[in-house]
Amino acid sequence: MTMTHRISHGSGAKGPDELRQQMERARSRLGETVAELMGRSDVSGRALTRAADLRDKAGAMGVQLRDSAGHAAHAVERRAPESVQGAVRSARRHAGPLLAAGAGAVLVTVGVRRRRHH
């Protein structure tokens, strides 16, 4: 039995034009389904998207950490004795490597937690 025969008998089409329209709608739905399945099977693409999201979150955390550290440093500097104030000034001069280490620790922690949950 051909597809045309099955569609014409089971679909209630009243003529060749209506049958063509039904077939076109069926093709369109099939195309959408195939596109959706391809999207779901694109593991690599989804992984890249997730990695970009995690990088964005880590960047936002870095900004928050930098702001919090700055506020804390100012508070400590105002109340601390001279020896501690010197240490705070030294930490500020080397803030880049300290922040990079902190951001790295955050990324490792996020990665470990994600692996434990999967």
Side-chain angles (χ1 to χ4, degrees):
M1 182 179 285
T2 67
M3 182 161 177
T4 305
H5 189 259
R6 272 186 271 154
I7 290 174
S8 66
H9 284 86
S11 65
K14 295 194 171 61
D17 289 335
E18 190 173 336
L19 181 60
R20 281 187 201 98
Q21 289 173 353
Q22 288 178 356
M23 288 175 59
E24 187 55 40
R25 284 192 297 268
R27 280 189 193 117
S28 178
R29 286 192 306 268
L30 180 60
E32 291 169 4
T33 301
V34 168
E36 184 180 334
L37 289 172
M38 288 177 64
R40 288 182 184 179
S41 67
D42 184 14
V43 175
S44 166
R46 289 193 336 235
L48 290 173
T49 300
R50 181 69 179 143
D53 290 345
L54 288 174
R55 275 194 302 274
D56 291 346
K57 286 180 184 179
M61 281 187 221
V63 169
Q64 288 177 340
L65 287 171
R66 191 171 25 248
D67 289 345
S68 296
H71 291 300
H74 285 296
V76 168
E77 195 171 9
R78 279 185 263 129
R79 290 186 237 136
E82 185 60 37
S83 61
V84 174
Q85 289 178 5
V88 169
R89 283 192 293 272
S90 176
R92 277 192 185 152
R93 283 192 300 271
H94 301 94
L98 291 173
L99 288 173
V106 167
L107 287 174
V108 167
T109 301
V110 168
V112 167
R113 285 186 179 175
R114 286 199 46 80
R115 284 195 177 164
R116 285 184 183 166
H117 292 320
H118 288 182

